[in-house]
Amino acid sequence: MVLWILLLIVLTHEVMVLLPMLGGHETKSNVDDIEIEQCWVQPPEKYCRQRCTKEHSCPRLNHTCCWTFCGNICLDNEEPFRTMLRPSGQAGE
């Protein structure tokens, strides 16, 4: 009888120790699996304040999440064309 009680205590202890180590019901998101493209132009610094969401999306229309020197930003889809078409004398604006 004492052997069965001791066995029950040991098994209960093992279950109580192993269950938290196996993980819970929490599902991990696939946000880290999403690759973010590098911005193909160096955007103006004003875009450094427009950050992507945790889901790597942009709340504004016509903006794309990409990474650059200041982190993950929301870049206007038309900005690369504005930057490339700007005369060289106005590049510092």
Side-chain angles (χ1 to χ4, degrees):
M1 183 72 176
V2 174
L3 183 62
W4 286 105
I5 294 174
L6 183 60
L7 183 63
L8 181 66
I9 291 172
V10 169
L11 287 176
T12 305
H13 180 266
E14 292 298 321
V15 169
M16 298 295 280
V17 170
L18 288 178
L19 279 180
M21 292 171 56
L22 294 176
H25 298 291
E26 185 177 325
T27 59
K28 295 182 180 179
S29 64
N30 293 332
V31 171
D32 296 333
D33 297 340
I34 298 173
E35 281 191 33
I36 300 176
E37 298 284 326
Q38 181 178 5
C39 299
W40 53 290
V41 295
Q42 183 172 348
E45 284 190 37
K46 68 178 182 177
Y47 285 102
C48 290
R49 293 185 297 270
Q50 300 176 5
R51 297 290 184 169
C52 299
T53 63
K54 289 181 182 179
E55 292 82 24
H56 304 299
S57 63
C58 296
R60 293 179 169 201
L61 293 176
N62 298 325
H63 282 68
T64 304
C65 184
C66 61
W67 64 270
T68 183
F69 66 96
C70 57
N72 296 339
I73 62 167
C74 289
L75 183 64
D76 186 354
N77 292 341
E78 300 295 321
E79 181 59 34
F81 302 110
R82 287 187 211 131
T83 303
M84 290 188 307
L85 295 175
R86 184 178 301 148
S88 60
Q90 296 178 346
E93 289 182 8

